[in-house]
Each structure stands twice: as structure tokens, then as C-alpha cells.
Amino acid sequence: MCGITGYIGTDDTGSIVHQGLENLEYRGYDSAGIAIAGESLTIQKTEGEVGELSVPTHADGMVGIGHTRWSTHGEPTAPNAHPHTDCTESVAVVHNGIIENYEALKAELRDRHTFTSDTDTEVIPHLIETHLEDGVSLVTAVQRATRRLEGSYAIAVTAADHDGIVVAREDSPLLIGHGEAATYVGSDATAFIDHTNRVTYLKTGDIARLTDDDVTVYNDGARVQRDTQTLEWDADAAGKSGYNHYMLKEIHEQPRALRQAISGRINDFETGVDLDIDLTAEYLRAVEEIQIVACGTSYHAGLYAKELLETAADVRVTVTIASEYEFSGGRDPQETLVVAITQSGETADTLSALRDAIRSGARTLAVTNTLGSTVTREADETVFIRAGPEIGVAATKTFVSQVATVTLLAAHLGEARNVLSTQATRDLLAGVQELPGAVQQILDQEPTIKEAARTHADSEAFFYMGRQAGYPVALESALKLKEISYDHAEGFAAGELKHGPLALVTPDTPVVAVLTAESAAEKTLNNVKEVKARGAPVIGVTSDPSHTSSVDQMFDIPECGPLEPVVANVALQLFAYYVADEKDRPIDKPRNLAKSVTVE
Ligand code: G6P
């Protein structure tokens, strides 16, 4: 989950690579570095954020690569920051992923090579150095070096006196941007989207040589053609638009993101949903079980999806944290649909679970935000959530867009399986169409929510409880608060209160109760009484004004049936944001976390 950027062209290489790193910082931000190649290499590194890395100004080259790091092997120090170089300091490499056999390679190379970092990456420039000594081109040296690597990688390599960048990928994502007399490389398009939206996604096993006006791609030693496509994202969509943080901007973008998720997909209330997936009604009728795999916020969207799918499509649904998934016995792959929910499409644990499902012979469907991501290439079918770029590490708009998209999926399955009556489909789809407006009503209550957050910001810990679809929302809201405020926050199924969390409830631990429709609010009100008896202040999130007297504070939610809890989540995103803001936390880049986790 580090970020790679690179540029070759005649403009100011140092500034372009530095800007690329700033754009990518959400992927990792504990150290960073840049290499500019001309007659010699100029390398700058820093322990800390990209802002602490000065823009290289004295470099004479037109070729640059950069890296922003989220440490896996070795502490976040300047020596461990990328780029890493060979003994002669004329080959520079930036790398995402993990080289699994690096210790064996290091032991082999140590006699003739000096290592200066604790990273797995450093073996790569030394391997390339070994092959360059045979007088081969840089691209050939990279080809030979990568044959020795086991694990996953996306690398960008440049060298003094060589007029290009060589890139290679094995599992970790990497794409090329095509500009006017300029070529870019990035671990995702945000690296260079300010300059071009014409991109080529590399496939696993690809090695490419980039010059300012040409890209040559090889796979397995042979030249191959890769398509160029135009991305719809533009640079403005990835800016902060006047908000203090990307997270707040993205919270406010939710009505628009939801409209995009729905747009063109609801044919009309009679004919249902068009998700452009190739799963026939016959196949969907035969499905016995849907297995959802996901991590983090996407896992919470998966739990929400279970509520919707089981009700609308009368199908057994299991939701598994991707790192715990195994396609297990007693399941017939022909009758099991595996759904991977992943915003980035690159989360290693989710991809690993998906591959396990593919090996078992099950059909697979990806629900993702990211065009061209690995999950889209490996799953049989893909549904895009169309939320647009999300930069804040804490996922917000992608969660609501995931829920809206799986609601459409639930309606689609319900119809195909002859479970949902026309009226029920109509109601579900009407609910999705009301979502953007309902979320806007929450955003209009921002001052009230901000005030409540300020009141409680110094609390010792926070608890969130809910039932049914209110349960994933409790989990997600607690995750949001802990990620960005660093306060302890725990979400749980309200029924579990008495089985543990109640021991920690005091007057200094606010309890948030999701009391929306379709979340068994009447039962949760009993739990509210139990925490109030221990003196805890209670915030209720509800559309039912009759609950006012039961809680200390209310966040009002408009009525929208099974989707009410996801609307409640928006109020709790704002609550988390303002608690963290009150504490002056680095909201978009919480410590130790990264937007996309591409290691298992
Ligand atoms: C990281 C991010 C989370 C995200 C999770 C899963 O932990 O910080 O916001 O929910 O990865 O990511 P995915 O891209 O698979 O949804």
C-alpha cells in the first residue's frame, strides 16, 4: 500500500514527481523519496511525510521516480525509504509489494554487494546491477532480475545514463499514463491524473520500457500490446474543493456519489435493475449460497448486504473477513456465488480469498470502485459502485455507495429468483432513489452533530450498538471514530451489551444507539435503559420522534425503510469527523493506516 510515481518528459521532472507523491500520500506516508536520473542519479529521501521532502531542483535529468511508503520490512527511516540503489548508486528502484525470498537473495548477494537498509526491496537494484555488468540493456537486466523474485511487486527502475524508466508488475497494480511528449507511471491513476487521463493498465508478468513518447510492453519475453483507455476521473474530483480535509469533502459528496451509483441502473419500477452483469436468471435461481468476502469498511458493507440479500432474494448469505476465508466443505461450487466487496480492488486479503473461490470453481462477482483494478480482471463479473476517487483513508462515500449498489443487486436477485413481488421491488428501488435526498438532510444537520461531537470529544471511550442492519452500522461508525480520533471505540450487536461491553460503561463513555426502522429499535431501547442506569450519556439515531425521551440526544434520520441505517451512518461519520477535528488529528492520514492494504 505504498505509492509509486514516475515521469519521463521535458518539463520540470522534480516538481512533477513530487506532486505525484503528494497525490499518492493517502496510500502510505511514513517515509518518501525521489530519484532523478541524468548522467548520474540524484536521490532525496525523508523519514516522514512527502511535505518534508524538498523538491529536487538541481537534477539535470528528464527521468524521475518516486515512492511514498507504508512500512512492512524495516522501520520508517530514511535509509529504509525508497528509492533503493545498487552498490554503484547508478540504479534506483521503487517497489510496492513484498519480495518473499529476499533473505535468501540477500545471503547470496552479500559477498559482492553492500546492503544499507532493512528492506526486502534492496535486493532488486543489486540483482539488476549484477545483470547490467554483463553489458545488457536496462530492460533486459530487469527482466533477468525479476525472474529471481518470488512474491508480489510493482517496480519502477531508472538508471544513470539510461534514457527511460523500466517498470514491472507481478500482482501489485501499476499503470502507465500517456501525455503529450511525456509518459507517467503510477501505482494508481491519482499519481498523474493532473496531467493525463489516458492510461494503460499493465497485466501481471508485464515488463515495460517507457520513454517520453513510446511504451514497449513485454510478457514472458515477447512483445505484447496493451489497450489504452480514457478514465472519467479528472483532477478536480480528486482535489479538496475548499474543505479542510478530503474526508469532510467526501462525506459531503455522498448525495452525488449515490446518484452516480444508481444512475441508469433502474430501468423502471416494472422491469427492475440493469447491472450489466452476465449472470443469467437461471443461474441466479440455482444459487444456494452467496459468500461475501471483504475487509474493513467493505466487510461492514458486506454485513449490510447480507441483511438485504437474505430478505429480498431468499438466499443464504455468509459474510467472512477475507483473511479468514477458505472455500470450505459442504458447499457445491456450482451453486455458490462468491462476492468480493473492495473499494480499491487491490486489497491483498480480499484478492487471496477471491482466488481461493476461483480455484474451487465457484462463480465470482466483484463490487468495487476502481476501474482496471486487479479484482476486476480476476472476478468473473464486476459491478462498479461509481463513487469517484476517495482519498481520505477512512472510507465514507464508498461505504454508502457499496450499500446502494448491493441494494440494487438484492433487487436484481430477488426478481430473478421470483422472490420479490413487483410491489416489493418497487419499494426497495424507491428507497434507493430516496437515498441521496435523505443523506442531504443529514448533511444539513451538520452544526448540531458538530456540537454534540465537541461536547463528547474528551470522553474516555465510545460505544456503538445496533441490531440487524443497525449492527454493521454500529461496527462501521465505531471503526470510523477509532481510525481518525485514536479514541477507543467499540461497536457491537446491542444484544451483546450484557455479555461484556456493559462492564466498561461509565458516565464517561457515551453510547450511540442505532434506533432506526428495520433495526429492532424496541429491543435496543431496553439496552439504552441498561446503559443509562450506569450513567452513560446516550445518543440515539432514529427516525421515530417517540424515542426522544429515551435518549439524551437525538440525531434525526428521515424515514427510508431498510436503508435508514446507512443514512444513520452518515450522521455518525460527521460525529467521528468532528471528534477527531476537535483533537486536531491528521484526519486524512491517520497514523499507521493506509488506504489500500496490498500485503496479507
Ligand atoms: C484499509 C482501508 C479501509 C478499507 C480496507 C479495505 O484498511 O484503510 O478504509 O475499508 O482497507 O479496503 P478495500 O479497498 O478492499 O475496500
Side-chain angles (χ1 to χ4, degrees), residues 379-499:
D380 295 319
E381 301 294 331
T382 299
V383 178
F384 290 100
I385 63 168
R386 302 174 177 167
E390 186 176 70
I391 307 294
V393 165
T396 50
K397 65 175 177 173
T398 54
F399 176 72
V400 300
S401 299
Q402 283 168 338
V403 173
T405 308
V406 294
T407 310
L408 299 180
L409 185 65
H412 182 59
L413 256 84
E415 276 205 311
R417 292 166 67 86
N418 298 324
V419 176
L420 275 186
S421 66
T422 307
Q423 187 56 46
T425 313
R426 234 179 239 175
D427 291 347
L428 195 56
L429 297 180
V432 186
Q433 293 194 312
E434 282 163 17
L435 259 184
V439 167
Q440 188 57 53
Q441 287 186 49
I442 301 298
L443 298 177
D444 295 343
Q445 295 177 48
E446 189 170 357
T448 314
I449 299 170
K450 180 175 177 177
E451 191 52 42
R454 294 242 149 99
T455 311
H456 294 294
D458 289 330
S459 303
E460 191 186 319
F462 295 79
F463 296 111
Y464 291 78
M465 58 185 183
R467 290 165 192 263
Q468 298 175 355
Y471 166 50
V473 164
L475 295 179
E476 172 58 15
S477 306
L479 175 68
K480 226 54 353 173
L481 188 84
K482 86 173 79 158
E483 281 179 309
I484 60 171
S485 73
Y486 309 157
D487 283 312
H488 178 71
E490 189 180 340
F492 50 88
E496 285 293 292
L497 172 71
K498 298 185 282 295
H499 302 292

Side-chain angles (χ1 to χ4, degrees), residues 295-298 341-345 347 350 393-395 402 483 594-595 597:
C295 303
T297 291
S298 297
I341 305 182
T342 165
Q343 185 283 128
S344 62
T347 301
T350 307
V393 165
Q402 283 168 338
E483 281 179 309
K595 183 79 185 153
V597 180

Side-chain angles (χ1 to χ4, degrees), residues 3 38 41 95 135 148 155 176 182 205 236 265 272 305 321 331 446-447 533:
L41 276 184
H95 163 225
R148 302 290 319 279
I155 58 172
I176 293 165
D236 282 352
R265 286 177 161 171
I321 291 170
R331 265 88 175 187
E446 189 170 357

Side-chain angles (χ1 to χ4, degrees), residues 260-268 272-276 382-386 405 408:
Q260 288 170 184
I262 302 163
S263 167
R265 286 177 161 171
I266 300 177
N267 295 333
D268 57 48
V273 171
D274 182 2
L275 288 173
D276 197 18
T382 299
V383 178
F384 290 100
I385 63 168
R386 302 174 177 167
T405 308
L408 299 180

